[in-house]
Amino acid sequence: MSTDCVTVSPQDNIYEIALKMKQNDIGFIPVVEGRKLIGVVTDRDLVIRGYAEKHSGSTAVEEVISKDVTTVGPDTSVDEAAKLMARQKIRRLPVVSGGELIGVVAIADLAVREIFVNEAGEALSEISENVDHAATVH
């Protein structure tokens, strides 16, 4: 789990989110009020709900945020997290305690530590297949 997460607040705009993604070479940013997780924004959210909808860079986070976020608690085992990520086909899983963001588990974290590589690999391949398939649908 990464605990030094780059975050944005609801007061930020989509240009600021895109800039933080570029500066930190990331495609996922939790949206927090204080430390309370209220949603996430992915690079895909920025494209689909933001720029593809012709929103300007000054558009509020509210226009692109995903609020229905799957999360786990700090007591969740690595095995449970990997299985949840595979089942839900997600690459990143916020870890919250009392509604507050304490970190993020990424598929890469699981693979790098060689823990439950099969689950992580399966999730990643399923996610990639869905993304590749979505890219070819016209």
Side-chain angles (χ1 to χ4, degrees):
M1 170 177 78
S2 299
T3 56
D4 59 339
C5 303
V6 174
T7 63
V8 295
S9 76
Q11 289 73 40
D12 288 316
N13 61 46
I14 64 175
Y15 170 76
E16 293 164 327
I17 295 169
L19 189 58
K20 280 190 177 185
M21 285 181 176
K22 179 182 178 184
Q23 291 170 337
N24 293 282
D25 193 27
I26 56 177
F28 172 94
I29 296 185
V31 181
V32 296
E33 280 187 302
R35 297 273 315 149
K36 182 182 179 203
L37 180 68
I38 60 170
V40 300
V41 176
T42 66
D43 46 7
R44 181 170 169 79
D45 293 333
L46 284 178
V47 171
I48 302 299
R49 293 190 209 136
Y51 296 114
E53 293 293 326
K54 298 184 180 180
H55 289 296
S56 72
S58 62
T59 300
V61 170
E62 188 68 30
E63 296 295 321
V64 296
I65 190 173
S66 294
K67 289 187 176 181
D68 187 21
V69 180
T70 300
T71 64
V72 293
D75 56 341
T76 303
S77 74
V78 175
D79 184 35
E80 291 172 303
K83 287 178 181 178
L84 179 62
M85 294 168 86
R87 190 171 49 251
Q88 303 241 339
K89 298 180 176 68
I90 54 178
R91 294 176 190 242
R92 297 166 202 95
L93 189 58
V95 181
V96 298
S97 179
E100 293 188 356
L101 179 69
I102 60 171
V104 174
V105 175
I107 286 277
D109 296 333
L110 302 177
V112 167
R113 292 185 59 194
E114 296 184 35
I115 297 175
F116 306 104
V117 174
N118 290 340
E119 287 91 341
E122 178 183 325
L124 187 56
S125 68
E126 287 181 21
I127 292 165
S128 296
E129 286 174 12
N130 288 342
V131 170
D132 292 342
H133 177 67
T136 58
V137 176
H138 297 283

